[in-house]
Amino acid sequence: SLGPFQLTMLGIGAIIGTGIFVLTAEAAQKAGPGMIAAFVIAGFVCAVAALCYAEMAAMVPVSGSAYTYSYAVMGEMMAWMVGWALILEYAVAAGAVSVGWSGYVVGLLENALQIDIPNALVLGPLDGGLVNLPAAGIALLVTALLVIGTKESASVNAFLVLIKVSALVLFIILAVPVMKLENFSPFAPLGFAGISAAAASIFFAYVGFDAVSTAAEETKNPQRNMPIGLIGSLGICTIFYILVASGVIGTVGAQPVLDAAGNGLRPGSAALTAACQTAGSTHVVCSKEALAWTLRSIGWPQIGNLIGLAAGLALPSVILMMMFGQTRIFFVMSRDGLLPSSLSKVHPKFHTPHVITIITGVFVALFSAFFPVGVLADISNSGTLFAFAMVAIAVLVLR
């Protein structure tokens, strides 16, 4: 029953998440204004992978994403590896989103209520704190929801997608008209190496389009509509991202923080944290909530707080979707006999795979409590790339 429009909307809902809200600062530290080029490169790489997904979804129209495709084409050894790569992708990504959520919510509380929350409790050890309690808390809360079995209803999800998109549109309307062209030079302060490093991280901002391919069974004329939905949602999100990135660069500048030798400091490192403390809050790359911080800097403090609120409301649904996807992959692997069968036990009252859900939730909470968002995004990307590569190989094998 799904047509091209519904598929495109589904894709946009799945793609727009932490990537653009949080990784903008990461990308600025790696590439400066060149992060605009990084968004285009990452979008193009995803588009090519999306075409492989579209072809697989049309030939093997079963849900289950890359794991099912690999199992159908290359047997269970490869499927087992892809299953773990997807677990790396989803569970670690859920941790990254939790850390991103924490940054916006803490920023909102500090700015709207004028309270100072000690850094030791809201930053991981690599970021100069002890433990990120809000991030671990939201991960455990989502786990509890998944065990009780709240069916994430389509109407709530549609409403949250609307909040996310409205927040970005509002940001673009306020930031783009006051851009200064001199903020765009030097365009690539760390050269092409910086742009490609940023593209590797920003890749995280596009992951989620494979959610479209999981709807293959419900799509009418999948051979035609799948590619439209996949490429359409990627194209729209790329334009959105370029506008948002231009808004950040043009208004507050996005030059990276350098060390004494003129090299860029690694995002999420202790050196960058120290440099940011001496520079004060004058660099967007030091912010844990880049978009809200930018609006506060150009004289819209209340709307900056609103963006923080929008991120605080909308990002938990992304965590929920990722953890849901991950527990289902574990469940299928366990049912296929690739993991112990005790893992696919279903709760007698709630009818959810509670054992797996709780194990996943504990790990996600630990990831998000102790690691910064950039490190988590990079680990998640490695799992994603492996899964993408296997889908591409599966297309070749099937042909």
Side-chain angles (χ1 to χ4, degrees), residues 144-150 346-354:
L145 282 176
L146 280 171
V147 172
I148 297 167
T150 21
V346 174
H347 195 283
K349 182 178 168 206
F350 300 130
H351 305 296
T352 53
H354 61 294

Side-chain angles (χ1 to χ4, degrees), residues 64-72 79-80 82-83 86 329 332-333 336 338:
S65 186
Y67 170 77
T68 315
Y69 302 155
S70 310
Y71 206 119
W80 189 79
V82 170
L86 288 172
I329 290 169
V332 177
M333 286 174 74
D336 287 346
L338 300 183

Side-chain angles (χ1 to χ4, degrees), residues 176-271:
V176 170
V178 291
M179 292 197 303
K180 298 185 188 70
L181 279 178
E182 60 264 27
N183 284 341
F184 283 87
S185 68
F187 184 70
L190 299 172
F192 186 72
I195 293 180
S196 52
S201 305
I202 284 178
F203 189 69
F204 184 75
Y206 290 98
V207 173
F209 70 79
D210 49 351
V212 178
S213 70
T214 53
E217 290 184 42
E218 291 92 66
T219 305
K220 51 179 183 235
N221 191 357
Q223 273 86 347
R224 174 181 170 271
N225 291 337
M226 265 293 144
I228 296 177
L230 284 161
I231 302 296
S233 54
L234 279 170
I236 292 169
C237 290
T238 305
I239 294 167
F240 246 115
Y241 287 177
I242 289 173
L243 286 169
V244 169
S246 307
V248 172
I249 298 163
T251 51
V252 292
Q255 294 300 331
V257 175
L258 306 173
D259 62 9
N263 301 318
L265 296 167
R266 200 170 57 80
S269 63

Side-chain angles (χ1 to χ4, degrees), residues 1-2 75 128 196 210 215 221 314 342 360 366:
S1 62
L2 295 175
S196 52
D210 49 351
N221 191 357
S342 57
T360 304
L366 288 172

Side-chain angles (χ1 to χ4, degrees), residues 23-321:
L23 287 181
T24 317
E26 286 272 321
Q29 175 59 22
K30 287 181 177 174
M35 67 173 166
I36 294 182
F39 275 114
V40 178
I41 295 170
F44 177 73
V45 171
C46 284
V48 183
L51 288 173
C52 293
Y53 266 91
E55 189 165 329
M56 284 305 293
M59 288 197 270
V60 189
V62 207
S63 16
S65 186
Y67 170 77
T68 315
Y69 302 155
S70 310
Y71 206 119
V73 181
M74 294 178 291
E76 62 177 33
M77 178 67 196
M78 280 304 173
W80 189 79
M81 288 165 69
V82 170
W84 281 102
L86 288 172
I87 286 158
L88 202 63
E89 171 187 339
Y90 287 121
V92 180
V97 183
S98 305
V99 178
W101 178 86
S102 159
Y104 271 89
V105 169
V106 169
L108 176 68
L109 292 173
E110 294 193 332
N111 282 288
L113 307 177
Q114 306 299 327
I115 48 176
D116 189 37
I117 302 170
N119 279 351
L121 302 178
V122 294
L123 293 175
L126 295 173
D127 263 344
L130 285 174
V131 58
N132 192 335
L133 288 179
I138 191 75
L140 293 173
L141 189 70
V142 170
T143 308
L145 282 176
L146 280 171
V147 172
I148 297 167
T150 21
K151 190 85 185 81
E152 195 200 15
S153 69
S155 48
V156 172
N157 195 35
F159 176 64
L160 290 175
V161 171
L162 193 69
I163 290 182
K164 289 191 290 199
V165 175
S166 311
L168 291 182
V169 169
L170 187 62
F171 178 85
I172 292 168
I173 291 171
L174 293 176
V176 170
V178 291
M179 292 197 303
K180 298 185 188 70
L181 279 178
E182 60 264 27
N183 284 341
F184 283 87
S185 68
F187 184 70
L190 299 172
F192 186 72
I195 293 180
S196 52
S201 305
I202 284 178
F203 189 69
F204 184 75
Y206 290 98
V207 173
F209 70 79
D210 49 351
V212 178
S213 70
T214 53
E217 290 184 42
E218 291 92 66
T219 305
K220 51 179 183 235
N221 191 357
Q223 273 86 347
R224 174 181 170 271
N225 291 337
M226 265 293 144
I228 296 177
L230 284 161
I231 302 296
S233 54
L234 279 170
I236 292 169
C237 290
T238 305
I239 294 167
F240 246 115
Y241 287 177
I242 289 173
L243 286 169
V244 169
S246 307
V248 172
I249 298 163
T251 51
V252 292
Q255 294 300 331
V257 175
L258 306 173
D259 62 9
N263 301 318
L265 296 167
R266 200 170 57 80
S269 63
L272 181 63
T273 309
C276 283
Q277 279 163 354
T278 46
S281 55
T282 52
H283 286 287
V284 73
V285 296
C286 296
S287 173
K288 298 282 171 217
E289 21 139 34
L291 304 189
W293 184 88
T294 302
L295 286 182
R296 291 191 192 112
S297 305
I298 60 173
W300 301 96
Q302 294 312 329
I303 296 183
N305 291 344
L306 269 181
I307 296 244
L309 183 65
L313 289 172
L315 292 181
S317 74
V318 183
I319 305 174
L320 194 138
M321 219 173 80

Side-chain angles (χ1 to χ4, degrees), residues 326-348 351-360:
Q326 205 255 288
T327 52
R328 293 316 176 261
I329 290 169
F330 254 154
F331 184 74
V332 177
M333 286 174 74
S334 157
R335 206 178 52 192
D336 287 346
L338 300 183
L339 286 173
S341 60
S342 57
L343 288 179
S344 54
K345 275 208 188 87
V346 174
H347 195 283
H351 305 296
T352 53
H354 61 294
V355 183
I356 295 178
T357 308
I358 291 168
I359 293 172
T360 304

